[in-house]
Amino acid sequence: MAASEYAIFLNGSYGVGKSSTLDHIGDLLFRTEQPFSLMDVDWFHRSWPVADFDHGNKIIEAENMAFVWSNYRRVGPRRLVISGVISDQRVHDRYRDALGLEVRPVRLIASPETTELRLHGRYSASQSDALTWHLERHLELTRQLAEADLDEAVIDTDKLSPHRVAERVLSHFGLLPAGWKNDRT
């Protein structure tokens, strides 16, 4: 693995803006003509029932991501950007090993009020069980991520649009052109 090869990992609890930021990072990389691939971890483990040997579909998640990353790389070099949750070193290492890339997490945070407002906006009335599940767990996950302290940067998303958060993430990694001036918000 070359030193310049790494995956940007948008880390954070539920409702902090990871998926929205991921979309905007893709837009910015496209506008600046930088090759990229995006992955939202949630889509790589959504399968039921879970195999007896794979609590939480973590093995299948890593295998699916490795396979997709291999396909993306086949068409040429690109920057991988992922959104998900890295709650401890073991999870970090699982992603690193599956992808064959250094994984560089940036944690997105938001106040409980902002997070809960976003979660309420995400789920329809027919998804009340999912809403309740996330509302009951977001504070504990936020605490766990802060204690793990695996992130090289932390960005508060409370007062920023997903586009501005994306700019901050890419700026952290030096991936916006010198003198970058955004003409869109």
Side-chain angles (χ1 to χ4, degrees), residues 71-89:
N71 279 341
Y72 282 147
R73 291 192 72 184
R74 219 169 19 117
V75 297
R78 56 202 60 246
R79 171 76 55 216
L80 178 59
V81 186
I82 306 166
S83 67
V85 176
I86 296 178
S87 57
D88 59 43
Q89 189 65 48

Side-chain angles (χ1 to χ4, degrees), residues 11-19 21 107-111 115 118-119 122 142 155 157-158 165:
N11 193 20
S13 189
Y14 319 113
V16 297
K18 298 180 305 286
S19 296
T21 298
R107 185 165 24 105
L108 306 184
I109 61 170
S111 68
T115 299
R118 289 174 181 169
L119 288 171
R122 179 187 298 173
T142 297
I155 300 172
T157 67
D158 266 354
V165 176

Side-chain angles (χ1 to χ4, degrees), residues 6 15 25 39 44 46 52 54 80-81 87 89 97 116 118 139 146 150:
Y6 61 89
I25 284 176
M39 290 186 187
F44 292 94
R46 284 195 165 177
D52 292 338
D54 190 11
L80 178 59
V81 186
S87 57
Q89 189 65 48
D97 295 346
E116 291 170 14
R118 289 174 181 169
L139 290 173
L150 297 170

Side-chain angles (χ1 to χ4, degrees), residues 150-168:
L150 297 170
D151 309 284
E152 61 182 71
V154 177
I155 300 172
D156 187 335
T157 67
D158 266 354
K159 293 182 170 59
L160 297 174
S161 69
H163 187 84
R164 293 288 183 224
V165 176
E167 286 181 326
R168 290 202 179 169

Side-chain angles (χ1 to χ4, degrees), residues 1 15 28 31 43 60 90 94 107 113 122 129 140 144 151 166 169 176 179:
M1 144 180 28
L28 285 169
R31 284 182 54 206
W43 287 102
I60 195 70
R90 184 181 36 105
R94 182 176 63 238
R107 185 165 24 105
E113 297 78 20
R122 179 187 298 173
D129 289 344
E140 175 58 25
Q144 184 180 6
D151 309 284
V169 170
L176 288 178

